[in-house]
Amino acid sequence: LPELLAELDGTPALYGDLAVQAGDVRGYVPGHAAWARNIWYEVQEFEIASIADGAKKLRAIQRNWSLYSHQLHGRARLIQDALPKVSAKPLRFPEPAPLAPLGSWTLLAPDRILCASRCSSAFPNGEVQFIEDKSGPPNRAYLKLWEALTVARAYPRPGELCLDLGAAPGGWSWVLAGLGARVIAVDKAPLAPGLHSWALIEQRRMSAFALAPETIGPVDWLFSDIVCYPGRLLGLLRNWIASGLARNIVATVKFQGTTDHAAAREFAGIPGARLLHLWHNKHELTFLRLESALSVPG
Ligand SMILES: C[S@@+](CC[C@H](N)C(=O)[O-])C[C@H]1O[C@@H](n2cnc3c(N)ncnc32)[C@H](O)[C@@H]1O
C-alpha cells in the first residue's frame, strides 16, 4: 500500500487497502498503478435498503462479484452470500485464468455500496492461488512465473526457445521445461541437481551481463530473475529490445531498500510493456513485454 500511495498522484480516500481517487481515469492503465493488486474501473456508489436490496442491486449490474471486506464484515458477508457463487478454487497450472468478468464491491456504510463491474484482475482481490508443487521445483520462485504467465494468458509452447537469466537454482527453468520449451539457463551459480541433467535445459555458468544478444540469436522468450539494481536490468532489457531478438520478455524488477519509483516509471514507459505487482511478488515488480501486446493496434 505505501508503494501504491507513493505512485499515485493526489490524496486518495482510504478504505482499508482500497485507495479511491477522484478524477479523470480514462487513460489509467495498469502500468500507471503497478503496485495495485487489483484496479477498480468505472466505480459506482449507491444506497441499499437491506441486505437483499444490496444483493439485488449488484446482481442487476452483472453476475460475478467478489467482496473486498474492510469493515462491517458480517453484513458484507451476508450480501456476498446472497450473490451467485464465484469459484475460488486454486488453479492447477497451466489452467487458464477465468474469462468471466469479475466485479469488486465493498460496504462503505451499512447502507452504502461502492462497486466496480470492471477490474484489472480476473481473481478475487487480485489474489492468484495455485495448487502448489511441493516436490518438483527447487524453490518457491516458480509461483511468480506461474502467475506471470497465467495473468498474461501466454505460455511458451513445446519446442520454443527460452533464455532464463539469473536461473539458479532453477525454479523458472523447471516451469519452462515442464511446458516442453527448450531452456538456456544462465547464472554464475549452479542449477539444483537433477535440473542440469534435464535434456531440455542447457546450463551456462556465466554472468548474464556478459552475454550479447547476437551471440545467442533469436529467442521466443527472454526471462530474467537476476538480482541486480533496476538500472542495470533496464540497460540489459533495452539492449535485447534494440536487438529485436526477443519476441517476449518477462523480467523481475527488484528493489533493495527504498523503492526506485523513477526507474519503475522507465520500465512502464517502454512501448508495449506492462508493469505489475503480482500476488507472489515481494519487494519487486514484474515487467512483461509480449509479442501479442505489440501486435494490437493502438
Ligand atoms: C532470485 S534468484 C533466481 C531464482 C530463479 N528464477 C529460480 O526460479 O530458481 C537470483 C539469481 O540471480 C543470479 N545472478 C545475480 N547476478 C547475476 C549475473 N550477473 N548473471 C547471472 N545471474 C546472476 C544469482 O546468482 C541468483 O541465482
Side-chain angles (χ1 to χ4, degrees):
L1 183 62
E3 309 305 324
L4 174 64
L5 295 178
E7 199 182 16
L8 294 174
D9 294 330
T11 42
L14 276 186
Y15 303 97
D17 282 352
L18 181 66
V20 179
Q21 176 138 310
D24 182 357
V25 291
R26 267 171 301 172
Y28 221 65
V29 292
H32 294 160
W35 293 94
R37 214 192 288 165
N38 189 17
I39 303 175
W40 299 21
Y41 298 101
E42 293 147 28
V43 174
Q44 304 176 45
E45 190 178 333
F46 51 82
E47 276 188 13
I48 58 169
S50 63
I51 286 165
D53 185 48
K56 190 172 140 218
K57 285 184 171 150
L58 285 169
R59 254 200 324 263
I61 299 172
Q62 69 170 34
R63 183 184 186 279
N64 292 336
W65 291 99
S66 89
L67 164 65
Y68 172 65
S69 189
H70 71 283
Q71 61 170 5
L72 304 163
H73 302 290
R75 186 171 172 81
R77 177 50 49 201
L78 290 171
I79 297 174
Q80 182 68 30
D81 287 347
L83 291 166
K85 292 275 164 292
V86 174
S87 168
K89 274 195 300 189
L91 291 186
R92 184 179 294 280
F93 183 84
E95 181 185 344
L99 278 171
L102 179 64
S104 301
W105 72 278
T106 194
L107 268 185
L108 294 184
D111 61 350
R112 284 200 85 71
I113 278 182
L114 185 80
C115 76
S117 57
R118 195 164 67 83
C119 294
S120 64
S121 177
F123 297 88
N125 296 315
E127 298 174 14
V128 188
Q129 311 283 358
F130 292 103
I131 299 170
E132 297 192 18
D133 187 325
K134 306 245 191 247
S135 56
N139 57 6
R140 290 177 54 80
Y142 74 98
L143 286 164
K144 234 172 11 185
L145 186 55
W146 274 8
E147 183 178 348
L149 299 175
T150 303
V151 165
R153 299 183 189 277
Y155 305 83
R157 296 204 187 97
E160 285 191 336
L161 181 60
C162 301
L163 183 61
D164 184 8
L165 305 178
W172 287 26
S173 292
W174 172 86
V175 171
L176 302 170
L179 290 168
R182 293 174 294 134
V183 185
I184 301 175
V186 179
D187 203 303
K188 288 181 273 185
L191 293 182
L195 284 183
H196 44 73
S197 59
W198 202 336
L200 286 169
I201 302 176
E202 177 196 331
Q203 184 176 203
R204 296 207 192 166
R205 296 280 301 276
M206 61 181 295
S207 169
F209 296 100
L211 198 67
E214 293 71 25
T215 62
I216 294 284
V219 295
D220 297 297
W221 293 81
L222 171 70
F223 294 94
S224 169
D225 198 22
I226 305 169
V227 173
C228 66
Y229 287 108
R232 249 193 128 192
L233 177 68
L234 194 60
L236 183 140
L237 294 189
R238 283 193 170 138
N239 207 9
W240 271 93
I241 291 168
S243 78
L245 290 169
R247 285 175 48 216
N248 300 287
I249 301 176
V250 178
T252 317
V253 183
K254 297 174 189 258
F255 300 100
Q256 279 139 12
T258 54
T259 306
D260 185 346
H261 290 284
R265 279 193 295 275
E266 292 209 54
F267 281 96
I270 291 177
R274 281 173 77 190
L275 195 62
L276 303 166
H277 188 257
L278 302 174
W279 175 240
H280 290 98
N281 274 146
K282 296 179 186 140
H283 192 203
E284 57 194 14
L285 293 167
T286 295
F287 171 92
L288 297 168
R289 186 176 183 272
L290 304 182
E291 189 180 53
S292 53
L294 293 172
S295 58
V296 175

